[in-house]
Amino acid sequence: MTPGLGLIADVLIDAWHCLDFERSRAPSLRVAVPHWFMGQMRRLQRLRRMGSGNYAVQLRAERQCRQVGLVYPHEDLGQCATWHLPERFSWISPLELPQHPVIDAGFLAAKLAVTTSTISAAQALGVLATQPPLAALWRGLPLQGVTDTARPKARLAVCMHLFYPELWPELLKQLEQIPEPWDLYISVPSFAATPAWQAILRDQPSVRFMPVLNRGRDVAPFLAWLRSGALDGYDAVC
């Protein structure tokens, strides 16, 4: 079956992004191009294995993941760039997604109201990436700079970018050593789908969350806090 124009366009877009990715980590274009070429050969082999239909779904989901910085560990040679997904994601259920720091498979499936027969894991990740933050995931959490207009209660603001929620207890112990009263602002990846934030909310009821793109480590999220105006009323920011 001849691939449709949509698939051809998706393949070309992916090839361009892969070249940009290889160039970003190589000392020169001359070094990057051979790596890019070998990667494209592996991608074509993946196309043959998966078939044009599954591959088209996978390409779309990968492009959406790239835009927000959503990645999964490599499992096969078809994953040439950080945002590429394991090819089995095109047929497994969202409930079968492997462990991820801020994506709980059961929680995601429940919030998207999907079953094992509705959409694939790749499609679910695409939905998660293109609708940040999903209302069903963030409902009930205080979002500073998005819907919340609470004014400072302390002179000191503490900003934290949290990608690994399991570190929260350790971080809280460190925060409790600060002698000055503080207000807490936590940025998290916009695709985060986990009930872990509720535990933080129980420990710090006045915390404010902000979903951000998973880019720029902790610097870009901090700039997002500055742009939001949430920190304007403080004497100092940690």
Side-chain angles (χ1 to χ4, degrees), residues 2-136:
T2 303
L5 292 177
L7 175 58
I8 294 174
D10 286 338
V11 168
L12 292 176
I13 292 172
D14 180 66
W16 172 257
H17 288 315
C18 286
L19 178 59
D20 186 55
F21 170 72
E22 293 294 351
R23 179 65 185 89
S24 70
R25 62 179 186 165
S28 68
L29 186 61
R30 180 178 296 181
V31 175
V33 168
H35 289 285
W36 172 81
F37 182 78
M38 292 301 296
Q40 293 309 295
M41 292 301 99
R42 293 196 295 269
R43 297 290 278 174
L44 286 176
Q45 291 170 5
R46 172 182 263 206
L47 170 58
R48 296 191 189 98
R49 290 194 303 269
M50 297 179 66
S52 59
N54 282 337
Y55 192 66
V57 170
Q58 195 85 342
L59 278 178
R60 276 189 231 95
E62 289 174 345
R63 185 170 70 249
Q64 291 157 346
C65 289
R66 183 191 66 83
Q67 291 169 348
V68 299
L70 198 169
V71 300
Y72 262 90
H74 283 200
E75 292 183 6
D76 59 67
L77 291 176
Q79 292 176 261
C80 300
T82 55
W83 64 86
H84 290 153
L85 302 172
E87 60 185 68
R88 67 190 181 95
F89 280 24
S90 68
W91 62 78
I92 66 172
S93 160
L95 289 167
E96 300 173 273
L97 280 169
Q99 186 175 358
H100 187 281
V102 290
I103 298 177
D104 180 288
F107 183 79
L108 173 62
K111 292 300 182 181
L112 294 181
V114 300
T115 66
T116 55
S117 61
T118 51
I119 63 175
S120 69
Q123 290 170 311
L125 294 177
V127 172
L128 196 59
T130 53
Q131 300 182 32
L134 288 174

Side-chain angles (χ1 to χ4, degrees), residues 127-200:
V127 172
L128 196 59
T130 53
Q131 300 182 32
L134 288 174
L137 300 180
W138 290 95
R139 187 174 296 123
L141 296 182
L143 303 180
Q144 179 70 40
V146 181
T147 59
D148 189 86
T149 57
R151 302 311 303 161
K153 295 185 177 70
R155 297 169 55 217
L156 172 65
V158 174
C159 284
M160 178 188 303
H161 182 63
L162 192 58
F163 188 82
Y164 297 98
E166 66 269 21
L167 295 178
W168 168 246
E170 178 183 345
L171 293 168
L172 179 59
K173 289 181 181 178
Q174 298 299 318
L175 293 176
E176 289 174 341
Q177 302 303 311
I178 300 176
E180 177 83 15
W182 40 269
D183 291 337
L184 181 61
Y185 296 84
I186 297 180
S187 56
V188 298
S190 58
F191 54 80
T194 170
W197 314 131
Q198 295 292 346
I200 298 175

